[in-house]
Amino acid sequence: MAGQHFPVTRLEGVSREQFMQHLYPQRKPLVLEGIDLGPCTSKWTVDYLSQVGGTKEVKIHVAAVAQMDFISKNFVYRTLPFDQLVQRAAEEKHKEFFVSEDEKYYLRSLGEDPRKVMDNLLIQVTGKKRVVLFSPRDAQYLYLKGTKSEVLNIDNPDLAKYPLFSKARRYECSLEAGDVLFIPALWFHNVISEEFGVGVNIFWKHLPSECYDKTDTYGNKDPTAASRAVQILDRALKTLAELPEEYRDFYARRMVLHIQDKAYSKNSE
Amino acid sequence: MAGQHFPVTRLEGVSREQFMQHLYPQRKPLVLEGIDLGPCTSKWTVDYLSQVGGTKEVKIHVAAVAQMDFISKNFVYRTLPFDQLVQRAAEEKHKEFFVSEDEKYYLRSLGEDPRKVMDNLLIQVTGKKRVVLFSPRDAQYLYLKGTKSEVLNIDNPDLAKYPLFSKARRYECSLEAGDVLFIPALWFHNVISEEFGVGVNIFWKHLPSECYDKTDTYGNKDPTAASRAVQILDRALKTLAELPEEYRDFYARRMVLHIQDKAYSKNSE
């Protein structure tokens, strides 16, 4: 049973005002085409980047496959001078390599996973990416481990292991140089780079600033109201643990129905 | 897709000690045959009951169909002298009736639904009943409204309206005069009287007495730990309500996963 597939809406020539007033409030992924990104889309070639970036050492992710797995960590961390990284990342086969001659490289310039509760514009400056997104509404079909899905091979998922995954609605787009993808906070995304390229992510906080943990520089943490809610829930579960197993199980299920009734959005989109 | 069906285990000649030591702790429904119930099984005929019960007025449920619906209330309350009730209940067709000539009567001598959190022995003194039971583990497939299932027509359920009902495991038994059915606390049951008869229910509290609300004469209320847990959960949901809808929905789903992980029984039986 294949899940439902949707293309991500693409729009050309959207003004800042149109985006902010009409598109942004819809909280749906969106590819913006033809945004003026300045000269970077043509200028940021392999040679230019090697030259400008120089020999500063950078820490990179190196994996034998294109799809990096942030749960099982199928990659290793290595260090290369920036110019060598760029040269290698642009090659199909590597003469010099860490794990295999067709290993892949990924350079991320910020902390781990800085997207959890922030809105994001992914600016594809050069190269191509395929991005698949899943709505936070479908979180229960994604087999989350923390905030990440265990289902990595989304094109050929193990449905015996992940039967509900087929219910997750899949939003897909291909990004070419110059495209800008809006990823609303909480949307899951799965990215494959189809060729060497540079992406720039702009994250910003969507909620009023008092909603965020003050120590949360990168927007990595849950909004404070959500953290508090989970802490309070833990107290409720501690109370429930006073009962024998069959009662605990029964009332836990009643609590789930209560949450679904009171806090789930009626709109499933 | 039909759900799984199981017969309720029947055991003959079980002693009090065997029941208490080996069977009761299993928390599964069970039909006990051949229990010495004294002379009532032969003595409590229609004539005898009419005579002994006399003309004291009793409040009864009257419905046009055999299956009373305690959610939509497809019955009316009426009053009859006890002896007339017994006579009428034993007739196939009624000359005198309230709603229809084949209306059904039900006399319950205690408050509404005194079975919620108490263990129960249903003693079938005379007549026949068919009883279908569902485990509290399958509560999520029963479309509960409060503590009752909306699915009344369990033999021919509307699966378009109640698709998950087909997942509920159905335990069934027929009770004849002299049979005693053990219904553990929290088990859902659906009863059809197949002929006029008298059932006596013995309820008793299974949990240590401090687990129950002190004002709860009939065992109608949730154990205090469960009520407190739901109250605390409501505080968590109030906190979550500070967030915009999409965040609230997302973190509510995370809370559900958390409850399932922490408080659901790993044993699904």
Side-chain angles (χ1 to χ4, degrees), chain A residues 138-201:
Chain A
D138 288 348
Q140 71 263 46
Y141 308 135
L142 298 178
Y143 299 87
L144 298 188
K145 201 148 190 176
T147 60
K148 294 187 174 72
S149 171
E150 281 187 18
V151 187
L152 196 72
N153 188 352
I154 58 168
D155 299 310
N156 190 19
D158 181 347
L159 290 180
K161 196 168 172 191
Y162 308 116
L164 295 175
F165 185 71
S166 63
K167 294 195 172 189
R169 290 162 295 181
R170 176 185 171 122
Y171 292 80
E172 182 165 341
C173 58
S174 288
L175 299 181
E176 312 239 336
D179 289 340
V180 175
L181 171 63
F182 169 51
I183 306 178
L186 307 175
W187 280 71
F188 298 88
H189 52 278
N190 179 300
V191 179
I192 290 182
S193 287
E194 295 181 330
E195 60 183 46
F196 170 72
V198 179
V200 174
N201 287 282

Side-chain angles (χ1 to χ4, degrees), chain A residues 239-240 243 251, chain B residues 213 221-232:
Chain A
T239 298
L240 210 58
L243 293 170
Y251 286 101
Chain B
D213 187 324
K221 296 183 186 172
D222 297 321
T224 47
S227 308
R228 269 188 290 129
V230 173
Q231 280 167 14
I232 297 171

Side-chain angles (χ1 to χ4, degrees), chain B residues 71-97:
Chain B
I71 294 174
S72 78
K73 309 252 185 214
N74 66 348
F75 51 81
V76 294
Y77 293 103
R78 291 290 180 270
T79 300
L80 274 182
F82 184 80
D83 55 353
Q84 280 189 42
L85 164 68
V86 172
Q87 298 290 345
R88 281 215 209 169
E91 303 168 341
E92 282 279 304
K93 297 265 176 197
H94 314 296
K95 262 179 249 165
E96 288 185 274
F97 54 82

Side-chain angles (χ1 to χ4, degrees), chain B:
Chain B
M1 191 167 64
Q4 284 181 283
H5 285 53
F6 303 93
V8 175
T9 304
R10 303 184 73 94
L11 289 172
E12 211 188 326
V14 171
S15 70
R16 186 180 186 288
E17 196 188 9
Q18 285 171 324
F19 180 74
M20 291 310 291
Q21 295 216 341
H22 304 292
L23 303 169
Y24 184 55
Q26 291 184 25
R27 318 297 304 151
K28 291 282 181 67
L30 195 63
V31 177
L32 303 170
E33 297 177 357
I35 302 283
D36 180 8
L37 301 175
C40 58
T41 48
S42 54
K43 202 168 174 184
W44 292 10
T45 61
V46 172
D47 287 344
Y48 176 81
L49 292 170
S50 304
Q51 185 197 321
V52 174
T55 57
K56 184 182 185 325
E57 298 218 317
V58 288
K59 206 169 175 187
I60 53 175
H61 298 62
V62 181
V65 293
Q67 184 74 72
M68 298 203 186
D69 181 346
F70 290 88
I71 294 174
S72 78
K73 309 252 185 214
N74 66 348
F75 51 81
V76 294
Y77 293 103
R78 291 290 180 270
T79 300
L80 274 182
F82 184 80
D83 55 353
Q84 280 189 42
L85 164 68
V86 172
Q87 298 290 345
R88 281 215 209 169
E91 303 168 341
E92 282 279 304
K93 297 265 176 197
H94 314 296
K95 262 179 249 165
E96 288 185 274
F97 54 82
F98 297 106
V99 295
S100 76
E101 62 173 13
D102 55 357
E103 68 192 16
K104 310 295 179 196
Y105 306 94
Y106 178 43
L107 168 63
R108 183 150 59 173
S109 61
L110 255 190
E112 290 293 307
D113 191 19
R115 66 107 185 92
K116 208 158 125 185
V117 287
M118 292 215 272
D119 284 342
N120 180 8
L121 285 179
L122 192 176
I123 302 170
Q124 190 69 25
V125 178
T126 64
K128 287 185 186 177
K129 278 196 181 73
R130 189 199 71 176
V131 184
V132 175
L133 301 112
F134 297 97
S135 165
R137 295 273 195 274
D138 288 348
Q140 71 264 43
Y141 308 135
L142 298 179
Y143 298 88
L144 297 188
K145 202 145 188 178
T147 59
K148 295 187 173 73
S149 171
E150 282 186 19
V151 186
L152 194 71
N153 187 351
I154 59 168
D155 300 309
N156 190 20
D158 181 347
L159 291 179
K161 198 169 171 190
Y162 307 117
L164 294 176
F165 184 72
S166 62
K167 294 194 172 188
R169 291 162 295 180
R170 175 185 173 124
Y171 292 79
E172 183 165 337
C173 59
S174 289
L175 300 182
E176 312 238 339
D179 287 342
V180 175
L181 171 63
F182 169 50
I183 307 178
L186 306 175
W187 281 70
F188 298 88
H189 51 280
N190 179 301
V191 178
I192 289 182
S193 286
E194 295 181 332
E195 59 182 46
F196 170 72
V198 178
V200 174
N201 287 282
I202 312 287
F203 296 97
W204 71 96
K205 289 175 177 175
H206 160 230
L207 301 177
S209 62
E210 65 270 21
C211 293
Y212 296 94
D213 187 324
K214 281 187 187 52
T215 67
D216 183 23
T217 313
Y218 297 133
N220 253 334
K221 296 183 186 172
D222 297 321
T224 47
S227 308
R228 269 188 290 129
V230 173
Q231 280 167 14
I232 297 171
L233 174 62
D234 271 327
R235 290 210 293 279
L237 294 179
K238 206 170 161 185
T239 298
L240 210 59
E242 295 169 17
L243 293 169
E245 183 181 5
E246 62 186 316
Y247 292 80
R248 198 186 65 222
D249 178 275
F250 180 72
Y251 288 101
R253 289 172 199 272
R254 290 270 295 274
M255 285 168 67
V256 163
L257 293 173
H258 190 63
I259 293 174
Q260 289 171 339
D261 183 43
K262 297 288 179 199
Y264 275 25
S265 178
K266 306 303 173 199
N267 159 17
S268 75
E269 277 188 16

Side-chain angles (χ1 to χ4, degrees), chain A residues 3 34 43 74 80 91 96 137 141 150 152 188 217 236 266:
Chain A
K43 202 169 171 182
N74 66 348
L80 275 182
E91 301 168 342
E96 289 185 272
R137 294 274 195 276
Y141 308 135
E150 281 187 18
L152 196 72
F188 298 88
T217 314
K266 306 305 172 197

Side-chain angles (χ1 to χ4, degrees), chain A:
Chain A
M1 190 169 63
Q4 283 180 284
H5 283 55
F6 302 94
V8 176
T9 305
R10 304 184 72 94
L11 289 171
E12 211 189 325
V14 171
S15 70
R16 187 181 185 288
E17 196 188 8
Q18 285 171 322
F19 179 74
M20 292 309 292
Q21 294 216 341
H22 304 293
L23 302 170
Y24 183 53
Q26 292 184 24
R27 317 297 305 153
K28 291 282 182 64
L30 194 64
V31 177
L32 303 169
E33 298 178 354
I35 302 283
D36 181 9
L37 300 174
C40 58
T41 48
S42 55
K43 202 169 171 182
W44 291 10
T45 61
V46 172
D47 287 346
Y48 176 81
L49 291 171
S50 305
Q51 184 196 321
V52 173
T55 57
K56 184 182 185 326
E57 297 218 317
V58 287
K59 204 168 176 186
I60 53 175
H61 297 63
V62 181
V65 292
Q67 184 74 69
M68 299 201 185
D69 181 347
F70 290 89
I71 294 177
S72 77
K73 310 250 184 213
N74 66 348
F75 51 83
V76 294
Y77 293 102
R78 290 291 180 270
T79 300
L80 275 182
F82 184 81
D83 56 351
Q84 279 189 43
L85 164 68
V86 172
Q87 298 289 344
R88 281 217 208 166
E91 301 168 342
E92 282 280 305
K93 298 264 178 198
H94 314 295
K95 260 179 253 167
E96 289 185 272
F97 53 83
F98 297 106
V99 293
S100 77
E101 64 174 8
D102 55 359
E103 67 191 16
K104 311 295 178 194
Y105 307 94
Y106 177 42
L107 168 62
R108 183 149 60 174
S109 61
L110 255 189
E112 288 295 304
D113 191 18
R115 66 109 183 94
K116 206 159 120 186
V117 287
M118 292 215 272
D119 285 341
N120 179 9
L121 284 178
L122 192 177
I123 302 169
Q124 190 68 24
V125 178
T126 63
K128 288 185 188 177
K129 278 196 181 72
R130 190 200 70 174
V131 184
V132 175
L133 301 113
F134 297 96
S135 165
R137 294 274 195 276
D138 288 348
Q140 71 263 46
Y141 308 135
L142 298 178
Y143 299 87
L144 298 188
K145 201 148 190 176
T147 60
K148 294 187 174 72
S149 171
E150 281 187 18
V151 187
L152 196 72
N153 188 352
I154 58 168
D155 299 310
N156 190 19
D158 181 347
L159 290 180
K161 196 168 172 191
Y162 308 116
L164 295 175
F165 185 71
S166 63
K167 294 195 172 189
R169 290 162 295 181
R170 176 185 171 122
Y171 292 80
E172 182 165 341
C173 58
S174 288
L175 299 181
E176 312 239 336
D179 289 340
V180 175
L181 171 63
F182 169 51
I183 306 178
L186 307 175
W187 280 71
F188 298 88
H189 52 278
N190 179 300
V191 179
I192 290 182
S193 287
E194 295 181 330
E195 60 183 46
F196 170 72
V198 179
V200 174
N201 287 282
I202 312 288
F203 295 97
W204 71 98
K205 290 176 178 174
H206 160 229
L207 300 178
S209 63
E210 64 271 21
C211 294
Y212 297 93
D213 187 325
K214 282 185 184 54
T215 66
D216 182 23
T217 314
Y218 296 132
N220 254 334
K221 296 183 184 171
D222 296 321
T224 46
S227 309
R228 268 188 291 131
V230 173
Q231 281 166 14
I232 297 171
L233 173 63
D234 272 327
R235 289 209 295 277
L237 293 179
K238 206 170 162 186
T239 298
L240 210 58
E242 295 169 18
L243 293 170
E245 184 182 5
E246 62 186 314
Y247 291 80
R248 196 186 68 222
D249 178 276
F250 180 73
Y251 286 101
R253 289 172 200 270
R254 289 270 296 273
M255 285 169 68
V256 164
L257 292 174
H258 190 65
I259 294 175
Q260 288 171 338
D261 183 43
K262 297 288 179 202
Y264 276 26
S265 179
K266 306 305 172 197
N267 159 18
S268 74
E269 278 189 13

